[in-house]
Amino acid sequence: MSRAIQITAFGGPEQLHLVDVEVGEPAAGEVRIRHHACGLNYIDVYQRTGLYPSALPLQLGMEGAGVIEAVGAGVTHLRVGDRAAYASNPPGSYSDVRVMPAKNVVRLPDGIAFDTAAGMMLKGLTAQYLLKKTLPVDGLQPGDHVLFHAAAGGVGLIACQWARALGLQLIGTAGGAAKCALALEHGAAHAIDYTSEDFVARVKSITGGRGVKVVYDSIGKDTFERSLDCLRPFGLMASFGNASGPVPPFPVGMLGPKGSLYVTRQTLFTHIATREATQAMADDLFAVVESGAVKIRIDQRYALADVAQAHRDLEARKTTGSTVLTP
Ligand SMILES: NC(=O)c1ccc[n+]([C@@H]2O[C@H](COP(=O)([O-])OP(=O)(O)OC[C@H]3O[C@@H](n4cnc5c(N)ncnc54)[C@H](OP(=O)(O)O)[C@@H]3O)[C@@H](O)[C@H]2O)c1
C-alpha cells in the first residue's frame, strides 16, 4: 500500500485527497520507486482543474526522486537500490511509492540530493529543450536577446541561470520588484515587472528597437499577443504554458505583418518520448547542475498531506523557484 494524492473530480485544491492505494509489482518495462521527494509543477494544476483532461480517479504528480525497489522484465538501465529521478507521464509522483514506466526514469548522480532532483527534473528538462532545441531559424548565439516570462518561477530561475551559462541576454519578466531582483540575481540580464510596466516598450528599449529572437511564453492568454510584438522579423514565439489561461484562437495572417514570425507550442513529453532522448537531456541537466552553473532553489517545502496549500500558493503567484513535497 502507499499513501497518494488523488482527485475523483476536477476542480479546486479541495479536490486533492490523501488516500491509500495498492501498489503491485512492476510489469515488463516498469519499475517500482519509493519516493524521497516529489516536485510541484504548474501542469499539476492544469490536470487538477481538467484543463488537461484525464480519466478519473487520477493520482497527481509528474516529478519525483527516490530509490528503485523493484525492476520489471526488460529494464536494463536501472537496478534495485539505485538512486533515481524522473519527469514522466502518467502522473502519480504525489505518493510514497509507485509503479511506473522505466523509460523516463534515470539514475541520479551521487552529488545530487533527492530534494534537488525532485525540484529540477521536469523544470530543468524543460529549460534544456527550450534553450537548446526551441530555436529561431538562425539559432541562438552568445549575446542574443531572448524574452522569458515568469523568470522567477520554477522553470524561470533555471532558465535564467542556464541562459547566462550559454552567453544569452535573457530578459525576464516577473510579478513585482522582489521577483525581478531574484531573476537578476540568477542571471537575467534585464528584468521587467510586467504587473506594472509595459513589457513590449521595455523590450524594444533594451534591444535598441530590434526586438528579441525568441519569446518563451508560459503565461498564455494574458501575454501571447503582446509577446508577438516583442519579436524581431523571423522571430520565434515559443508558447509552452497557460498559467493565466489558454491562448485564444488567433488569425495566422497576423504573423505576416508582424515580421514573418514563427509560432510553436512545445511540450516536454514530445522531447522525452524515448529513453535515449530522456537520458541525453538528463545528462545535460546533471552536468550543468553539477558544474554549479545552475543551482536549484527550493523556496517552498510542504508535507505531501499539505499539497492543497502548495497548489493554492502556486496559483496565487506566492511561490518562487522550485517547490518540493515530502512524503
Ligand atoms: N510545455 C512544457 O513542456 C512545460 C513544462 C514545464 C512547465 N511548463 C509551463 O511553464 C510554466 C512555469 O511552470 P512552473 O511549474 O515552473 O511554475 P512557476 O513559474 O513557478 O509558477 C507560475 C508563475 O506564472 C506566473 N503567472 C503569471 N500570470 C499568472 C496567473 N494568472 N496565475 C498564476 N500564475 C501566473 C507567476 O509568476 P509572476 O508572479 O512572476 O508572474 C507564477 O509564479 C507553467 O505555465 C507551466 O505550465 C510547460
Side-chain angles (χ1 to χ4, degrees):
M1 297 296 282
S2 169
R3 294 175 318 142
I5 301 293
Q6 201 180 65
I7 58 166
T8 52
F10 299 121
E14 73 284 352
Q15 295 296 340
L16 298 161
H17 299 295
L18 185 65
V19 296
D20 289 320
V21 293
E22 294 231 2
V23 180
E25 293 301 316
E30 293 183 336
V31 291
R32 190 169 70 230
I33 181 167
R34 184 163 293 275
H35 295 126
H36 284 234
C38 63
L40 180 75
N41 291 284
Y42 221 93
I43 191 171
D44 308 345
V45 172
Y46 308 144
Q47 290 174 342
R48 192 205 70 217
T49 60
L51 177 67
Y52 294 176
S54 351
L56 296 174
L58 178 69
Q59 193 175 312
L60 289 180
M62 305 288 282
E63 185 178 43
V67 174
I68 300 296
E69 269 193 359
V71 174
V75 177
T76 54
H77 67 289
L78 293 165
R79 296 210 169 93
V80 172
D82 277 350
R83 301 171 74 252
Y86 64 86
S88 179
N89 260 321
S93 71
Y94 288 4
S95 60
D96 296 324
V97 58
R98 71 179 293 197
V99 168
M100 64 181 296
K103 184 183 76 173
N104 294 131
V105 184
V106 294
R107 287 178 63 179
L108 188 60
D110 290 341
I112 300 181
F114 288 122
D115 56 356
T116 303
M120 76 181 210
M121 292 303 293
L122 197 146
K123 302 161 192 75
L125 293 177
T126 300
Q128 200 275 354
Y129 85 70
L130 288 174
L131 294 174
K132 296 212 168 169
K133 299 181 180 174
T134 310
L135 304 174
V137 275
D138 57 345
L140 284 176
Q141 286 80 40
D144 281 344
H145 286 104
V146 298
L147 177 63
F148 207 105
H149 290 306
V155 178
L157 283 185
I158 297 174
C160 286
Q161 298 173 79
W162 210 330
R164 174 173 59 189
L166 294 170
L168 300 173
Q169 296 281 305
L170 182 146
I171 304 171
T173 61
K179 287 186 178 182
C180 284
L182 203 56
L184 290 170
E185 208 181 292
H186 286 79
H190 306 270
I192 304 171
D193 176 359
Y194 56 2
T195 58
S196 65
E197 297 178 86
D198 173 349
F199 72 79
V200 179
R202 280 289 314 279
V203 165
K204 287 282 163 60
S205 143
I206 290 165
T207 59
R210 298 187 69 203
V212 295
K213 279 191 162 183
V214 190
V215 179
Y216 297 105
D217 189 333
S218 64
I219 307 301
K221 178 173 69 65
D222 287 356
T223 49
F224 182 81
E225 201 159 335
R226 284 179 295 151
S227 291
L228 296 176
D229 293 328
C230 296
L231 286 164
R232 68 176 58 179
F234 307 109
L236 173 65
M237 171 70 186
S239 171
F240 71 104
N242 0 254
S244 68
V247 176
F250 64 94
V252 172
M254 78 195 233
L255 301 175
K258 286 185 187 293
S260 303
L261 302 178
Y262 293 79
V263 176
T264 180
R265 177 57 161 91
Q266 291 282 309
T267 168
L268 172 64
F269 302 104
T270 319
H271 290 273
I272 58 171
T274 65
R275 195 192 108 55
E276 292 70 26
T278 306
Q279 190 66 56
M281 289 171 64
D283 287 345
D284 198 20
L285 174 62
F286 293 153
V288 81
V289 169
E290 288 191 301
S291 76
V294 171
K295 295 190 169 57
I296 307 302
R297 274 183 72 110
I298 300 170
D299 286 343
Q300 301 74 218
R301 292 174 191 270
Y302 303 82
L304 182 63
D306 296 330
V307 66
Q309 190 56 46
H311 275 228
R312 284 188 197 99
D313 292 346
L314 183 63
E315 289 178 273
R317 304 166 77 162
K318 286 185 181 163
T319 67
T320 53
S322 296
T323 299
V324 164
L325 307 170
T326 312

